[in-house]
C-alpha cells in the first residue's frame, strides 16, 4: 500500500516533482562534475608524466628545505660521480627556467596566467621531456625549438628568427625544430622553448649547474636500489628519488591547482544543495498540508503513524534516487563543458578519457539522497501526527508564532553567530569547520526567525505596492501574510544566495578600498612595471630603465621564500636601499630602509616584530635554501604591508637566492615630470621587452581593482546557480499554493476579477516573498561580510557598497517577477466553474 500511495502522489503533481528534482540535479551535478573533472585531469597528467619520465630510474635534485620552489640547483661536478655509480646506464643534467617568446607582431606570445617555460635540450631521449615533431634538435648557441601549439598560434615557421626573453635578457634565435611535451601539444596554456644545454645554463644564470640530473639504470637494477646507491655519493642538501616518485612530484604540482578548482566547485555545490533542501522541505510541507484529508482517512482506516512516515519518506527516496542519478549524468556534462572552457581560454589539457569513478557515483548519489531524505523527514513526521478526525473537515496548515518557536529560532541564530565569531577570531579548533557550521546554523536560524516576522515584513514591504497595484497588490500582500511559515521557507532559499553575494561584495569592496588607499598613501612611484602574464621577469628590464630620460629613481622588487625561527615559510623581498624610499613609503617606525645597504640586515613589518619581540638591532635568524641559516640584524621596522612583510637589499638577495627575477619594478621621474611622461620614457626604454607592461600609478590601481572584480564575477557566476534554484523554489511554492487556493481563485474570478488581475495578484505575492528574502539576505550578508573584513588583518578599510546592495535588493524583486510568470499564467487560465467546485 505504501508503494501504491507514494506512486500515486508522485504522479499527481508532475510540476512539483520536476522542480524538486531540478534542485537536486543541479547540486548533485556540480558535486559529480567537480570529482569527474578532477579525476580526469589527474589521470591525464599522471599518464603524460608517466610517459615523459618512463625512462627515468632516478632523479637527483636539491632538497626542499624551504619549499618546492626554492630547491637548489645541482652542481654539474656531481654528474661524473653519478655516472660512475654501479648500475647507472646513463645520466644527464636538465635545465628549466622562464623564457618568453616574442611574436612577429612584437608582442609576447601567450596568455596572462600560464607560465612561459624554457628548457635545456637533453640528447638522451629517455631523459628528455621534449619530443621532436619536426625539424631538428638545437645544436648551435642561437638555435631554439618551440612547442607546436605556440608555433601554430604565433604562425612561426622553421628557419625563422625568433626573439626570446630569458632571465639574462632578450636575444634572437633561429627556430630549428617543433616539439611536444611528451605527447601533449600544450601544457595548460604554457609556452615551451628549448635551447642547447650550454645556452640554457647561460641564459638562466646556471653556469656549471643543472636544475636536476636524470639517471637511467642498467637492466635488472631496481630503481629503489639505484636511488640508494646514488644518494651515497651526494653531498648534504641533495636527494636521489626514484623516477616514480619524481613523476608523482611533477603531477602533484598540477593536481594541486585542479584540486583547488574541485574544492571551489564542491563548496558552491554544497550551497546549491543547501538551498535545494529548503525547497524540498517547503514542497513536502505544502503538499502534506494539502493531503490532510487523505492522510486523515488513511489513519481512520487503520494506517499506522509509521506507515504515513514511510510513505512520505518513500516519495522522497524515489525523488532523491532518480534526481541524483540524473545529476551524476549532468555532472559528467559539467566536467566536459569545463574541459572545453579550458580549451577556449587557451589552457588546453592533456587528453584522457572521462573518469567516472565509483567514489564519484557513490558520493554524488549519497549526498543527493541524504539531502532529499533529511529535508522530507520533518514533514513526514508532521504528517504522521495528523489525527483521523482531519478526514471529516478541511484543514490547511497555518503558520504559528508560538513562544517556543521564537525561543528556538533565537537560540539557533545565536549559536550560529557564536560559531562564526569563534571560527574567525578565537583560533580554537578548525576555523573553517566552525565557520561552515556557524554559517549553516545562522541560515537555519534566520529561516526560523523570518517565520516569526514574515507577516509584518510582508505588510511593510507590500504597502507601497498596494498604492501602485490596488486590489491585486492588496490580495497578493494578504496571500504573503496568510502563512508566514511558508512565506519564510520560500524566501529563505533566496536569502542564502543574496546573503553570500552581499558578503562577497562587501569583502571585495573593502579589499579594493584597502589597497587603493594604501597605494595612494604608500606608493610614491609614478610607474610600475609588471610581466604581462603576472610571472617574474628578467632583471634586465630594470637595468634598461635605469638612466632612461627623466627617470631619477628605480627599484625592482624580487621575492623569495625563507623559513623563520618558527619553521614558518615567509616571503622576503629584495629592494634597492638607495632608492626605495623615493618610491615607497613603508610607514617607518624605527630605523630606515637605507640601512639595508649594510650586509646581513633585514627590515621587518611591525606586527611580526611585535609578536616576536624584535626591535632595531635585534637578530632575526632566517633559513635560506641556498646559504642555510643567516643571522640577520633588524635595520628597520615598518607598519605597511602593501609590498610585503620583510625586505633585504638586492645584494643580500643575490647572495642568498639562486634565482634572480623581478616581481615588479617601481620608477619615478624628476620633479615636475607627469606620470604619462614617465610612462612614455620607461616604455621606450623597455621596447626590447614586450613581455612586460608599464602602468601609471592610477592604472596600477585599476588593474588591482580589475583583478578583484574578476574574482568577484566568478563568485557571482557560481552563486547564480543557488539563486536560480531559489527561483525554482518560489515557482514551486506558488504553483502548489495556487492548487491549494483553486476554489478561492475561482470565486474571485466569479465575482469579476479578470485574468490579468489574477496574474497581477500572483505577481505581487511573488515579488513580496522575494523581497523578504532580499531584505533578510542583505542583513545576513552585511553581518558576514563585515565580520570577515574585521578578521582579515590584510584589510584595514571597511567599505559597504550601498549602491550594489540596493541593486541586489531590486534584483531579488526581479527574481520574484520571473518566478511568478508560469504560476500566474496557470492561475489566470483556471476554469471558473471547475475551480469553484474544487475541494
Amino acid at each position: 500500500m505504501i508503494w501504491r500511495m507514494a506512486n500515486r502522489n508522485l504522479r499527481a503533481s508532475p510540476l512539483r516533482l520536476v522542480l524538486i528534482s531540478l534542485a537536486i540535479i543541479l547540486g548533485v551535478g556540480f558535486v559529480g562534475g567537480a570529482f569527474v573533472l578532477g579525476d580526469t585531469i589527474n589521470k591525464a597528467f599522471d599518464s603524460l608524466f608517466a610517459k615523459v619520465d618512463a625512462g627515468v630510474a632516478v632523479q637527483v635534485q636539491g632538497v626542499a628545505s624551504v619549499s618546492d620552489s626554492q630547491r637548489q640547483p645541482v652542481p654539474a661536478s656531481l654528474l661524473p660521480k653519478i655516472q660512475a655509480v654501479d648500475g647507472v646506464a646513463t645520466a644527464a643534467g636538465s635545465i628549466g627556467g622562464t623564457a618568453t617568446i616574442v611574436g612577429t607582431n612584437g608582442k609576447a606570445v601567450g596568455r596572462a596566467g600560464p607560465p612561459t617555460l624554457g628548457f635545456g635540450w637533453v640528447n638522451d631521449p629517455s631523459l628528455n621531456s621534449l619530443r621532436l615533431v619536426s625539424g631538428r634538435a638545437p645544436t648551435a648557441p642561437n638555435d631554439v625549438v618551440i612547442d607546436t601549439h605556440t608555433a601554430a598560434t604565433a604562425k612561426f615557421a622553421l628557419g625563422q628568427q625568433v626573439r626570446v626573453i630569458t632571465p639574462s635578457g632578450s636575444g634572437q634565435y633561429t627556430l630549428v625544430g617543433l616539439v611536444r611535451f611528451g605527447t601533449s601539444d600544450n601544457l595548460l596554456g604554457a609556452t615551451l622553448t628549448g635551447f642547447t644545454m650550454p645556452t640554457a645554463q647561460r641564459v638562466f644564470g646556471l653556469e656549471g649547474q643543472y636544475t636536476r640530473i636524470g639517471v637511467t639504470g642498467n637492466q635488472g637494477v631496481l630503481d629503489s636500489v639505484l636511488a640508494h646507491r646514488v644518494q651515497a655519493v651526494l653531498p648534504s642538501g641533495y636527494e636521489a628519488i626514484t623516477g616514480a616518485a619524481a613523476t608523482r612530484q611533477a603531477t602533484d604540482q598540477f593536481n594541486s591547482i585542479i584540486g583547488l578548482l574541485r574544492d571551489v566547485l564542491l563548496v558552491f555545490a554544497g550551497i546549491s544543495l543547501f538551498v535545494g533542501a529548503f525547497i524540498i522541505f517547503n514542497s513536502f510541507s505544502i503538499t502534506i498540508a494539502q493531503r490532510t484529508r487523505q492522510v486523515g482517512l488513511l489513519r481512520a482506516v487503520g494506517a499506522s503513524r509509521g506507515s504515513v512516515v514511510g510513505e512520505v519518506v518513500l516519495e522522497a527516496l524515489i525523488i532523491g534516487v532518480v534526481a541524483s542519478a540524473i545529476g551524476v549524468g549532468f555532472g559528467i556534462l559539467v566536467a566536459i563543458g569545463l574541459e572545453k572552457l579550458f580549451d577556449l581560454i587557451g589552457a588546453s589539457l592533456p587528453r584522457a578519457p572521462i573518469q567516472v569513478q565509483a567514489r564519484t557515483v557513490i558520493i554524488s548519489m549519497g549526498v543527493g539522497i541524504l539531502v532529499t531524505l533529511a529535508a522530507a523527514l520533518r514533514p513526514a513526521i508532521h504528517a504522521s501526527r495528523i489525527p483521523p478526525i482531519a478526514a471529516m473537515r478541511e484543514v490547511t496548515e497555518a503558520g504559528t508564532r508560538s513562544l517556543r518557536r521564537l525561543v528556538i529560532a533565537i537560540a539557533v541564530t545565536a549559536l550560529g553567530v557564536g560559531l562564526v565569531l569563534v571560527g574567525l577570531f578565537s583560533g580554537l579548533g578548525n576555523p573553517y569547520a566552525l565557520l561552515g557550521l556557524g554559517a549553516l546554523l545562522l541560515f537555519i536560524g534566520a529561516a526560523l526567525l523570518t517565520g516569526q516576522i514574515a507577516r509584518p515584513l510582508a505588510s511593510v514591504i507590500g504597502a507601497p505596492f498596494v498604492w501602485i497595484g490596488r486590489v491585486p497588490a492588496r490580495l497578493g500582500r494578504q496571500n504573503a501574510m496568510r502563512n508566514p511559515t511558508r512565506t519564510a521557507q520560500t524566501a529563505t532559499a533566496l536569502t542564502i544566495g543574496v546573503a553570500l553575494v552581499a558578503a562577497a561584495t562587501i569583502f571585495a569592496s573593502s579589499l579594493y578600498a584597502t589597497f587603493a588607499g594604501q597605494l595612494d598613501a604608500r606608493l610614491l612611484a609614478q610607474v610600475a612595471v609588471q610581466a604581462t602574464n603576472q610571472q617574474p621577469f628578467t632583471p634586465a628590464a630594470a637595468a634598461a630603465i635605469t638612466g632612461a630620460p627623466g627617470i631619477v629613481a628605480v627599484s625592482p622588487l624580487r621575492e623569495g621564500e625563507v623559513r623563520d625561527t618558527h619553521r614558518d615559510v615567509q616571503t622576503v623581498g629584495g629592494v634597492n636601499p638607495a632608492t626605495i624610499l623615493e618610491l615607497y613609503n613603508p610607514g617607518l617606525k624605527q630605523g630606515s630602509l637605507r640601512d639595508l645597504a649594510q650586509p646581513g640586515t633585514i627590515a621587518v613589518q611591525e606586527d611580526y616584530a611585535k609578536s616576536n619581540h624584535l626591535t632595531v638591532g635585534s637578530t632575526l635568524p632566517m633559513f635560506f635554501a641556498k646559504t642555510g641559516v643567516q643571522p640577520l640584524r633588524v635595520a628597520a621596522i615598518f607598519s605597511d604591508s602593501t609590498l610585503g612583510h620583510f625586505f633585504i637589499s638586492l645584494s643580500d638577495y643575490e647572495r642568498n637566492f639562486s634565482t634572480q627575477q623581478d616581481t615588479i619594478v617601481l620608477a619615478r621621474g624628476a620633479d615636475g615630470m607627469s606620470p604619462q611622461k614617465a610612462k612614455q620614457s620607461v616604455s621606450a626604454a623597455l621596447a626590447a621587452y614586450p613581455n612586460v607592461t608599464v602602468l601609471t600609478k592610477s592604472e596600477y590601481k585599476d588593474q588591482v581593482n580589475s583583478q578583484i572584480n574578476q574574482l568577484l564575477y566568478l563568485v557571482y557566476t557560481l552563486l547564480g546557480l543557488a539563486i536560480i534554484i531559489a527561483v525554482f523554489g518560489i515557482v514551486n511554492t506558488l504553483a502548489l499554493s495556487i492548487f491549494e487556493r483553486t476554489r478561492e481563485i475561482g470565486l474571485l474570478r466569479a465575482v469579476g476579477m479578470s485574468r490579468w488581475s489574477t496574474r497581477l495578484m500572483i505577481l505581487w505575492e511573488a515579488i513580496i516573498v522575494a523581497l523578504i528574502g532580499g531584505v533578510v539576505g542583505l542583513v545576513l550578508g552585511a553581518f558576514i561580510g563585515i565580520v570577515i573584513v574585521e578578521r582579515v588583518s590584510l584589510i584595514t578599510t571597511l567599505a559597504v557598497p550601498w549602491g550594489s546592495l540596493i541593486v541586489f535588493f531590486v534584483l531579488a524583486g526581479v527574481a520574484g517577477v520571473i518566478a511568478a510568470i508560469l504560476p500566474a499564467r496557470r492561475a489566470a487560465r483556471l476554469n471558473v466553474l471547475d475551480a469553484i467546485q474544487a475541494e
Side-chain angles (χ1 to χ4, degrees):
M1 183 185 75
I2 293 176
W3 170 258
R4 288 199 301 272
M5 288 298 300
N7 185 46
R8 176 186 174 279
N9 289 330
L10 287 172
R11 289 173 178 269
S13 182
L15 177 62
R16 174 177 69 94
L17 183 63
V18 169
L19 292 174
I20 292 176
S21 299
L22 279 175
I24 297 301
I25 289 169
L26 291 173
V28 170
F30 272 80
V31 172
F35 282 114
V36 171
L37 178 67
D39 292 339
T40 301
I41 296 176
N42 289 349
K43 178 66 175 178
F45 279 111
D46 288 346
S47 300
L48 175 64
F49 281 100
K51 292 175 182 177
V52 168
D53 298 331
V56 179
V58 175
Q59 179 172 291
V60 176
Q61 61 189 15
V63 174
S65 54
V66 173
S67 65
D68 281 336
S69 65
Q70 295 295 322
R71 293 182 186 273
Q72 291 306 293
V74 181
S77 59
L78 289 179
L79 184 58
K81 296 180 181 179
I82 295 170
Q83 290 171 329
V85 170
D86 182 31
V88 170
T90 62
S94 61
I95 291 282
T98 60
T100 302
I101 301 169
V102 179
T104 53
N105 59 359
K107 297 181 180 180
V109 176
R111 295 174 179 264
T116 55
L117 304 177
F119 301 91
W121 187 264
V122 179
N123 291 319
D124 187 341
S126 299
L127 301 176
N128 191 349
S129 58
L130 301 180
R131 303 287 186 265
L132 196 63
V133 176
S134 61
R136 61 174 177 82
T139 55
N142 64 337
D143 285 350
V144 71
V145 295
I146 64 175
D147 64 281
T148 56
H149 181 269
T150 299
T153 302
K155 296 181 172 53
F156 285 127
L158 292 178
Q160 189 173 344
Q161 291 295 301
V162 178
R163 187 146 59 95
V164 182
I165 302 170
T166 61
S168 66
S170 178
Q172 289 283 347
Y173 300 87
T174 302
L175 179 60
V176 297
L178 302 180
V179 298
R180 293 191 179 106
F181 186 87
T183 57
S184 179
D185 288 337
N186 187 254
L187 192 63
L188 281 178
T191 62
L192 310 178
T193 56
F195 309 90
T196 63
M197 190 60 68
T199 299
Q201 289 176 313
R202 175 179 58 80
V203 298
F204 296 134
L206 293 172
E207 288 91 343
Q209 301 176 98
Y210 299 111
T211 305
R212 62 186 65 86
I213 293 176
V215 177
T216 63
N218 291 325
Q219 189 171 1
V221 180
L222 293 176
D223 291 355
S224 56
V225 172
L226 189 59
H228 181 73
R229 292 176 185 174
V230 172
Q231 185 67 61
V233 305
L234 299 179
S236 175
Y238 300 95
E239 61 182 2
I241 60 175
T242 63
T247 298
R248 286 194 302 272
Q249 194 176 88
T251 56
D252 284 348
Q253 294 179 11
F254 290 94
N255 292 347
S256 62
I257 300 173
I258 302 306
L260 178 62
L261 173 62
R262 180 196 62 209
D263 292 344
V264 169
L265 290 176
L266 287 175
V267 167
F268 286 97
I271 293 170
S272 300
L273 285 169
F274 184 51
V275 172
F278 279 94
I279 297 174
I280 297 166
F281 176 84
N282 210 21
S283 299
F284 275 100
S285 296
I286 295 172
T287 53
I288 287 170
Q290 294 170 353
R291 291 186 215 156
T292 298
R293 179 174 291 184
Q294 179 195 92
V295 175
L297 284 170
L298 289 174
R299 299 280 284 115
V301 298
S304 66
R305 291 178 62 180
S307 297
V308 175
V309 171
E311 188 274 326
V312 177
V313 169
L314 181 59
E315 278 189 61
L317 180 62
I318 293 171
I319 292 173
V321 169
V322 174
S324 297
I326 297 173
V328 171
F330 176 64
I332 296 173
L333 296 179
V334 169
I336 294 173
L338 289 173
E339 207 173 21
K340 297 297 183 185
L341 181 61
F342 277 107
D343 291 340
L344 288 175
I345 64 176
S348 302
L349 300 167
R351 296 302 174 196
I354 291 293
Q355 301 294 304
V356 184
Q357 297 185 8
R359 175 258 285 147
T360 300
V361 177
I362 292 171
I363 291 178
S364 301
M365 291 284 293
V367 166
I369 293 170
L370 286 175
V371 167
T372 308
L373 291 176
L377 187 59
R378 186 174 178 274
I381 294 173
H382 176 74
S384 72
R385 293 173 178 169
I386 295 175
I389 193 65
M392 308 304 296
R393 54 191 172 88
E394 289 188 22
V395 180
T396 55
E397 183 187 29
T400 61
R401 294 189 291 166
S402 66
L403 179 62
R404 177 171 169 270
R405 289 191 179 189
L406 179 61
V407 171
I408 291 174
I410 293 173
V412 173
T413 305
L415 181 59
V417 171
L419 287 175
V420 168
L421 295 176
V422 169
L424 286 172
F425 295 101
S426 71
L428 300 175
N430 184 334
Y432 298 106
L434 290 172
L435 184 59
L437 179 59
L440 182 69
L441 292 175
L442 185 58
F443 285 124
I444 294 174
L448 296 174
L449 278 177
T450 305
Q452 305 301 310
I453 62 173
R455 190 186 301 273
L457 267 180
S459 177
V460 172
I461 292 174
F465 300 143
V466 172
W467 182 78
I468 298 172
R470 305 299 178 183
V471 174
R474 183 180 300 112
L475 292 173
R477 182 175 70 161
Q478 290 174 353
N479 289 335
M481 294 169 60
R482 176 187 301 181
N483 193 325
T485 301
R486 178 189 301 171
T487 297
Q489 291 166 354
T490 305
T492 298
L494 189 59
T495 292
I496 298 170
V498 172
L500 294 174
V501 167
T505 304
I506 290 173
F507 179 83
S509 298
S510 300
L511 184 64
Y512 174 69
T514 295
F515 276 93
Q518 289 177 338
L519 287 174
D520 281 334
R522 302 298 181 185
L523 196 64
L524 308 178
Q526 291 178 304
V527 297
V529 180
Q530 286 184 313
T532 53
N533 62 355
Q534 308 297 311
Q535 303 293 317
F537 55 96
T538 174
I545 299 171
T546 304
I551 301 302
V552 297
V554 177
S555 178
L557 172 67
R558 300 176 192 171
E559 293 181 333
E561 292 179 333
V562 299
R563 285 192 184 274
D564 63 12
T565 53
H566 307 293
R567 301 287 299 167
D568 294 329
V569 176
Q570 306 288 354
T571 299
V572 172
V575 297
N576 185 345
T579 59
I580 187 62
L581 290 178
E582 298 180 57
L583 303 164
Y584 167 60
N585 174 14
L588 287 167
K589 297 297 182 180
Q590 299 179 40
S592 173
L593 294 191
R594 290 191 177 89
D595 294 337
L596 294 178
Q598 301 176 31
T601 54
I602 188 170
V604 182
Q605 201 271 339
E606 183 179 23
D607 294 335
Y608 186 91
K610 285 181 179 178
S611 61
N612 289 274
H613 311 292
L614 298 173
T615 60
V616 169
S618 298
T619 299
L620 176 61
M622 287 287 195
F623 181 86
F624 296 84
K626 179 181 179 180
T627 56
V629 177
Q630 297 294 314
L632 302 177
R633 183 177 62 82
V634 177
I637 294 175
F638 57 93
S639 61
D640 185 56
S641 58
T642 306
L643 297 183
H645 288 73
F646 303 91
F647 296 120
I648 60 177
S649 67
L650 287 175
S651 57
D652 272 354
Y653 191 96
E654 291 168 358
R655 188 162 41 250
N656 290 294
F657 289 96
S658 296
T659 302
Q660 304 298 320
Q661 294 200 89
D662 296 337
T663 304
I664 189 172
V665 177
L666 303 177
R668 64 181 298 269
D671 293 341
M673 191 175 193
S674 69
Q676 284 298 329
K677 289 290 185 182
K679 177 182 178 179
Q680 292 172 7
S681 179
V682 170
S683 298
L686 294 175
Y689 300 94
N691 61 319
V692 299
T693 181
V694 182
L695 304 170
T696 63
K697 181 177 176 178
S698 61
E699 290 170 342
Y700 183 56
K701 284 171 53 181
D702 291 342
Q703 184 189 68
V704 172
N705 189 35
S706 175
Q707 292 170 347
I708 294 173
N709 283 338
Q710 287 176 11
L711 179 61
L712 189 60
Y713 295 151
L714 174 62
V715 172
Y716 285 168
T717 301
L718 293 172
L719 285 177
L721 174 64
I723 294 174
I724 290 171
I725 295 175
V727 172
F728 285 147
I730 299 174
V731 173
N732 194 21
T733 301
L734 287 173
L736 292 172
S737 66
I738 287 169
F739 176 80
E740 180 182 276
R741 294 179 307 200
T742 299
R743 179 184 292 180
E744 174 188 317
I745 294 172
L747 288 171
L748 288 171
R749 295 275 286 112
V751 298
M753 177 176 276
S754 66
R755 288 188 174 184
W756 177 247
S757 294
T758 304
R759 287 174 184 260
L760 290 177
M761 177 183 69
I762 303 301
L763 174 66
W764 288 120
E765 179 183 354
I767 292 174
I768 292 168
V769 170
L771 291 180
I772 289 174
V775 167
V776 179
L778 290 177
V779 172
L780 280 179
F783 167 75
I784 295 172
I786 291 171
V787 168
I788 293 176
V789 166
E790 292 298 324
R791 174 63 180 86
V792 179
S793 59
L794 185 67
I795 300 178
T796 58
T797 303
L798 173 64
V800 179
W802 297 108
S804 297
L805 298 185
I806 292 172
V807 170
F808 297 152
F809 181 71
V810 173
L811 290 177
V814 173
V817 173
I818 295 171
I821 292 174
L822 291 178
R825 183 171 180 270
R826 183 175 183 271
R829 298 181 67 180
L830 287 175
N831 182 283
V832 176
L833 293 178
D834 291 341
I836 293 174
Q837 298 176 40
E839 296 186 6

